[in-house]
Amino acid sequence: MSEPALRASGIRRIYRDTMSLEVDELSISAGEVLCLLGSSGAGKSTLLRILGLLERADGGEVVIGGKRADPTNLEARRQVSAAMQNVVMFKGTVDDNVRYGLKVRGVPKRDAVHAVTQALQLLELENLSERRVGGLSGGEAQRVALARSIAVDTEVLLVDEPLAQVDEPLRERLASRLKQHIRDRMVATLWVTHDRSEALALGDRIAVIEDGKLLQTGIPMNVFSRPADERVARLVGTENIQQGVVTANERGLASVKVGDTVFEASSNVSAGSDVLLLVRPEEIAMATSEPQYSSPRNRLRGRVSDAVVQGALTKIYVEAEIPLVAVVTSPTYRDMELRPGTTVWASFKATSVHLIRRT
Amino acid sequence: MIPQSITDAIELLTSGDPYTYSVIWLSLKVAFFSLLIATIIGLPIGVILGMTRFAGRIGFLIIVNAAMGLPPVVAGLLVFMVLRNEGALGPLDMLFTPGAMVIAQVPLAMPLIAGVTMAAISTVGRPIRLQARALGASRIQEAMMLMREKRASLVGACIVGFGATISEVGAILITGGNLLVGGRNYTRTMTTAIVLETRLGNFSRALAFALILLLIIVFVNIFLTRAQITRFET
């Protein structure tokens, strides 16, 4: 197996005598996007600075292109480029800013012009190239910061919430283009975000970080549907989490008692185990009359307590034997008239239930 | 007396008097070279103190800050001691030359330039320095970027340094001697000429030199301040 473009192991960071960052192993291959997902203060930006050789860790090593790298090693630092969360512009024009990384590397002028033009085109900034940075909006400045990091064409790219201030639909368009660019140029990319939909859309893999520790790393669908623990579950948006006990397990079909209700789950967790029962909101089907011929093994009758429209999707809060949160498309919400007080049947498959053993 | 001195000043400037022009020219030359050397030394010191943290930095800061208050006559005396025949640099035979005056003014302007530069550079936030490094800047390139970011303040440092050198009298009087050699100006500047003319009771001529000095200071500052605002602040 080939060496990943970026590998970090045993990374430790101590802040005021407390371990603030503890990452045992993290690697990114060429052309791969690893989304680092975590809430504010989880340690995402600190990890990015350490991986970007901008800060020294208190322990562990960072290996870039197969060689151990150090913040004092300029050659190693120039294999990485980073766009920080706090967007700072250097005085001058957009073009001056995007050119900066090429200038410090001594790239010949003709090549630099070509690289700057490409980066500006990628981020849809061609018309702003001569604009002084003082007049840029937050979203434009963020795109310039990203263009600046991409123009240098490094083996490793680290970006911290790079499109957070960019408005839709441009944000989605740029994200898609960037991912293509990263694949084409085989850039190993760490994309720091707290936005799980962005992580799901962009990440070839996702690493979930909380309280300075990597809790789970894997392909997005696995992390989202099979979170390793409750903290990961909450971070990836699993809002239906209940404590229960496995009462029986027959050939991988577990019966889980939650309060007075028994649910069925596809799981190998043995009978007698205390578990957390997790169901993602989008796995729950809603009906306003009792389904006669439905395959899901789990079905609950309840009443809509609230409905929150979130653009194309609407979140439905249901009071049933256990409280449930489901997601339907907004047209479905309108068609089904899922107003508060409406009686509904919520159903989900045994395979949609994920069990986590409680310790 | 002041209206008379204004008339005298205009007459001195318009008459083409070689003595007057040589005094003005030497003043500018000494101030320029003192400022140049002080900038070459003070700017890097200010940048290093502003952007790095190292053991003993506080000691350097105290020295720079204290040196800003160095009395010109003390600087002049110390340079005199070093340049006199028995001094460490006596063989260079520089005492009572414009070169000695330049050397005496450097320790007066240099701490001012270093201090203003340090204050300006240390206000640049960590994020901008991190971003420069994140784009592959070496330490020197990072320092150059910081200087570019704060170039308006660095011009300000030069304005402060120029003010200190062009208006200084104590140090250059001791090391230059305010000499005319063979009727030709050798080490007389506007400030030392003002001292001399005042002592001789030629108040009108002293005031005329003072007005010329003030005019030069104002013109140089107009030029530098315009550059500071229009070219470097944006």
Side-chain angles (χ1 to χ4, degrees), chain B residues 114-133:
Chain B
V116 175
T117 303
M118 181 200 68
I121 295 294
S122 55
T123 60
V124 180
R126 187 167 176 258
I128 203 160
R129 295 177 53 189
L130 272 183
Q131 187 57 70
R133 262 183 265 166

PDB file of all heavy atoms in Angstrom, chain B residues 114-133:
ATOM      1  N   ALA B 114      13.733  52.137  15.533  1.00  0.00           N
ATOM      2  CA  ALA B 114      13.511  50.760  16.015  1.00  0.00           C
ATOM      3  C   ALA B 114      12.249  50.693  16.876  1.00  0.00           C
ATOM      4  O   ALA B 114      11.445  49.761  16.740  1.00  0.00           O
ATOM      5  CB  ALA B 114      14.730  50.300  16.826  1.00  0.00           C
ATOM      6  N   GLY B 115      12.059  51.676  17.731  1.00  0.00           N
ATOM      7  CA  GLY B 115      10.910  51.671  18.639  1.00  0.00           C
ATOM      8  C   GLY B 115       9.595  51.799  17.905  1.00  0.00           C
ATOM      9  O   GLY B 115       8.653  51.027  18.155  1.00  0.00           O
ATOM     10  N   VAL B 116       9.518  52.735  16.958  1.00  0.00           N
ATOM     11  CA  VAL B 116       8.271  52.926  16.204  1.00  0.00           C
ATOM     12  C   VAL B 116       8.000  51.688  15.342  1.00  0.00           C
ATOM     13  O   VAL B 116       6.870  51.203  15.254  1.00  0.00           O
ATOM     14  CB  VAL B 116       8.335  54.215  15.335  1.00  0.00           C
ATOM     15  CG1 VAL B 116       7.093  54.331  14.462  1.00  0.00           C
ATOM     16  CG2 VAL B 116       8.462  55.445  16.222  1.00  0.00           C
ATOM     17  N   THR B 117       9.056  51.154  14.729  1.00  0.00           N
ATOM     18  CA  THR B 117       8.896  49.955  13.891  1.00  0.00           C
ATOM     19  C   THR B 117       8.401  48.776  14.732  1.00  0.00           C
ATOM     20  O   THR B 117       7.461  48.073  14.342  1.00  0.00           O
ATOM     21  CB  THR B 117      10.250  49.585  13.226  1.00  0.00           C
ATOM     22  OG1 THR B 117      10.688  50.695  12.479  1.00  0.00           O
ATOM     23  CG2 THR B 117      10.113  48.375  12.324  1.00  0.00           C
ATOM     24  N   MET B 118       9.042  48.601  15.886  1.00  0.00           N
ATOM     25  CA  MET B 118       8.638  47.486  16.756  1.00  0.00           C
ATOM     26  C   MET B 118       7.167  47.612  17.152  1.00  0.00           C
ATOM     27  O   MET B 118       6.406  46.651  17.083  1.00  0.00           O
ATOM     28  CB  MET B 118       9.506  47.477  18.006  1.00  0.00           C
ATOM     29  CG  MET B 118       9.190  46.351  18.949  1.00  0.00           C
ATOM     30  SD  MET B 118       9.789  46.723  20.596  1.00  0.00           S
ATOM     31  CE  MET B 118       8.737  48.059  21.077  1.00  0.00           C
ATOM     32  N   ALA B 119       6.765  48.826  17.533  1.00  0.00           N
ATOM     33  CA  ALA B 119       5.379  49.040  17.946  1.00  0.00           C
ATOM     34  C   ALA B 119       4.427  48.727  16.792  1.00  0.00           C
ATOM     35  O   ALA B 119       3.384  48.091  16.990  1.00  0.00           O
ATOM     36  CB  ALA B 119       5.197  50.479  18.412  1.00  0.00           C
ATOM     37  N   ALA B 120       4.802  49.141  15.588  1.00  0.00           N
ATOM     38  CA  ALA B 120       3.931  48.905  14.429  1.00  0.00           C
ATOM     39  C   ALA B 120       3.848  47.420  14.095  1.00  0.00           C
ATOM     40  O   ALA B 120       2.759  46.877  13.906  1.00  0.00           O
ATOM     41  CB  ALA B 120       4.462  49.684  13.230  1.00  0.00           C
ATOM     42  N   ILE B 121       4.992  46.763  14.058  1.00  0.00           N
ATOM     43  CA  ILE B 121       5.020  45.346  13.665  1.00  0.00           C
ATOM     44  C   ILE B 121       4.283  44.486  14.694  1.00  0.00           C
ATOM     45  O   ILE B 121       3.580  43.542  14.345  1.00  0.00           O
ATOM     46  CB  ILE B 121       6.482  44.853  13.496  1.00  0.00           C
ATOM     47  CG1 ILE B 121       7.169  45.580  12.336  1.00  0.00           C
ATOM     48  CG2 ILE B 121       6.552  43.332  13.319  1.00  0.00           C
ATOM     49  CD1 ILE B 121       6.627  45.312  10.960  1.00  0.00           C
ATOM     50  N   SER B 122       4.426  44.836  15.973  1.00  0.00           N
ATOM     51  CA  SER B 122       3.789  43.986  16.989  1.00  0.00           C
ATOM     52  C   SER B 122       2.265  44.128  16.985  1.00  0.00           C
ATOM     53  O   SER B 122       1.574  43.328  17.601  1.00  0.00           O
ATOM     54  CB  SER B 122       4.360  44.260  18.377  1.00  0.00           C
ATOM     55  OG  SER B 122       4.241  45.619  18.667  1.00  0.00           O
ATOM     56  N   THR B 123       1.749  45.135  16.263  1.00  0.00           N
ATOM     57  CA  THR B 123       0.282  45.235  16.188  1.00  0.00           C
ATOM     58  C   THR B 123      -0.296  44.352  15.086  1.00  0.00           C
ATOM     59  O   THR B 123      -1.503  44.192  14.987  1.00  0.00           O
ATOM     60  CB  THR B 123      -0.180  46.685  15.913  1.00  0.00           C
ATOM     61  OG1 THR B 123       0.368  47.099  14.667  1.00  0.00           O
ATOM     62  CG2 THR B 123       0.233  47.636  17.020  1.00  0.00           C
ATOM     63  N   VAL B 124       0.565  43.803  14.226  1.00  0.00           N
ATOM     64  CA  VAL B 124       0.044  42.904  13.178  1.00  0.00           C
ATOM     65  C   VAL B 124      -0.397  41.622  13.858  1.00  0.00           C
ATOM     66  O   VAL B 124       0.369  40.995  14.585  1.00  0.00           O
ATOM     67  CB  VAL B 124       1.125  42.594  12.117  1.00  0.00           C
ATOM     68  CG1 VAL B 124       0.555  41.669  11.050  1.00  0.00           C
ATOM     69  CG2 VAL B 124       1.618  43.871  11.481  1.00  0.00           C
ATOM     70  N   GLY B 125      -1.633  41.250  13.630  1.00  0.00           N
ATOM     71  CA  GLY B 125      -2.202  40.087  14.313  1.00  0.00           C
ATOM     72  C   GLY B 125      -1.538  38.776  13.916  1.00  0.00           C
ATOM     73  O   GLY B 125      -0.944  38.673  12.837  1.00  0.00           O
ATOM     74  N   ARG B 126      -1.665  37.791  14.790  1.00  0.00           N
ATOM     75  CA  ARG B 126      -1.093  36.470  14.521  1.00  0.00           C
ATOM     76  C   ARG B 126      -1.706  35.830  13.263  1.00  0.00           C
ATOM     77  O   ARG B 126      -0.991  35.184  12.498  1.00  0.00           O
ATOM     78  CB  ARG B 126      -1.314  35.575  15.751  1.00  0.00           C
ATOM     79  CG  ARG B 126      -0.626  34.235  15.666  1.00  0.00           C
ATOM     80  CD  ARG B 126      -0.606  33.549  17.018  1.00  0.00           C
ATOM     81  NE  ARG B 126      -0.042  32.226  16.926  1.00  0.00           N
ATOM     82  CZ  ARG B 126      -0.777  31.112  16.907  1.00  0.00           C
ATOM     83  NH1 ARG B 126      -2.073  31.177  16.974  1.00  0.00           N
ATOM     84  NH2 ARG B 126      -0.184  29.936  16.830  1.00  0.00           N
ATOM     85  N   PRO B 127      -3.028  35.995  13.038  1.00  0.00           N
ATOM     86  CA  PRO B 127      -3.612  35.345  11.860  1.00  0.00           C
ATOM     87  C   PRO B 127      -2.927  35.700  10.554  1.00  0.00           C
ATOM     88  O   PRO B 127      -2.731  34.840   9.706  1.00  0.00           O
ATOM     89  CB  PRO B 127      -5.065  35.837  11.871  1.00  0.00           C
ATOM     90  CG  PRO B 127      -5.358  36.128  13.299  1.00  0.00           C
ATOM     91  CD  PRO B 127      -4.070  36.658  13.868  1.00  0.00           C
ATOM     92  N   ILE B 128      -2.538  36.953  10.401  1.00  0.00           N
ATOM     93  CA  ILE B 128      -1.937  37.350   9.114  1.00  0.00           C
ATOM     94  C   ILE B 128      -0.547  36.735   8.968  1.00  0.00           C
ATOM     95  O   ILE B 128      -0.137  36.325   7.878  1.00  0.00           O
ATOM     96  CB  ILE B 128      -1.925  38.893   8.966  1.00  0.00           C
ATOM     97  CG1 ILE B 128      -1.847  39.258   7.483  1.00  0.00           C
ATOM     98  CG2 ILE B 128      -0.807  39.557   9.726  1.00  0.00           C
ATOM     99  CD1 ILE B 128      -2.299  40.656   7.181  1.00  0.00           C
ATOM    100  N   ARG B 129       0.156  36.610  10.076  1.00  0.00           N
ATOM    101  CA  ARG B 129       1.482  35.980  10.017  1.00  0.00           C
ATOM    102  C   ARG B 129       1.348  34.489   9.727  1.00  0.00           C
ATOM    103  O   ARG B 129       2.109  33.919   8.950  1.00  0.00           O
ATOM    104  CB  ARG B 129       2.218  36.215  11.329  1.00  0.00           C
ATOM    105  CG  ARG B 129       2.509  37.690  11.553  1.00  0.00           C
ATOM    106  CD  ARG B 129       3.174  37.942  12.865  1.00  0.00           C
ATOM    107  NE  ARG B 129       4.353  37.117  13.037  1.00  0.00           N
ATOM    108  CZ  ARG B 129       5.023  37.009  14.169  1.00  0.00           C
ATOM    109  NH1 ARG B 129       4.622  37.684  15.227  1.00  0.00           N
ATOM    110  NH2 ARG B 129       6.076  36.252  14.245  1.00  0.00           N
ATOM    111  N   LEU B 130       0.355  33.874  10.387  1.00  0.00           N
ATOM    112  CA  LEU B 130       0.113  32.442  10.147  1.00  0.00           C
ATOM    113  C   LEU B 130      -0.256  32.207   8.685  1.00  0.00           C
ATOM    114  O   LEU B 130       0.186  31.244   8.069  1.00  0.00           O
ATOM    115  CB  LEU B 130      -1.043  31.955  11.023  1.00  0.00           C
ATOM    116  CG  LEU B 130      -0.713  31.462  12.420  1.00  0.00           C
ATOM    117  CD1 LEU B 130      -1.967  30.946  13.092  1.00  0.00           C
ATOM    118  CD2 LEU B 130       0.333  30.353  12.391  1.00  0.00           C
ATOM    119  N   GLN B 131      -1.067  33.130   8.145  1.00  0.00           N
ATOM    120  CA  GLN B 131      -1.504  32.953   6.757  1.00  0.00           C
ATOM    121  C   GLN B 131      -0.316  33.048   5.806  1.00  0.00           C
ATOM    122  O   GLN B 131      -0.222  32.283   4.855  1.00  0.00           O
ATOM    123  CB  GLN B 131      -2.570  33.986   6.412  1.00  0.00           C
ATOM    124  CG  GLN B 131      -3.205  33.763   5.057  1.00  0.00           C
ATOM    125  CD  GLN B 131      -3.836  32.388   4.905  1.00  0.00           C
ATOM    126  OE1 GLN B 131      -4.852  32.088   5.507  1.00  0.00           O
ATOM    127  NE2 GLN B 131      -3.221  31.522   4.115  1.00  0.00           N
ATOM    128  N   ALA B 132       0.597  33.977   6.080  1.00  0.00           N
ATOM    129  CA  ALA B 132       1.784  34.096   5.228  1.00  0.00           C
ATOM    130  C   ALA B 132       2.600  32.814   5.290  1.00  0.00           C
ATOM    131  O   ALA B 132       3.042  32.282   4.268  1.00  0.00           O
ATOM    132  CB  ALA B 132       2.626  35.290   5.673  1.00  0.00           C
ATOM    133  N   ARG B 133       2.757  32.287   6.490  1.00  0.00           N
ATOM    134  CA  ARG B 133       3.513  31.032   6.653  1.00  0.00           C
ATOM    135  C   ARG B 133       2.778  29.878   5.970  1.00  0.00           C
ATOM    136  O   ARG B 133       3.388  29.012   5.363  1.00  0.00           O
ATOM    137  CB  ARG B 133       3.694  30.713   8.135  1.00  0.00           C
ATOM    138  CG  ARG B 133       5.056  31.141   8.643  1.00  0.00           C
ATOM    139  CD  ARG B 133       5.237  30.745  10.069  1.00  0.00           C
ATOM    140  NE  ARG B 133       4.888  31.837  10.950  1.00  0.00           N
ATOM    141  CZ  ARG B 133       4.692  31.721  12.248  1.00  0.00           C
ATOM    142  NH1 ARG B 133       4.786  30.544  12.834  1.00  0.00           N
ATOM    143  NH2 ARG B 133       4.403  32.768  12.983  1.00  0.00           N
TER     144      ARG B 133
END
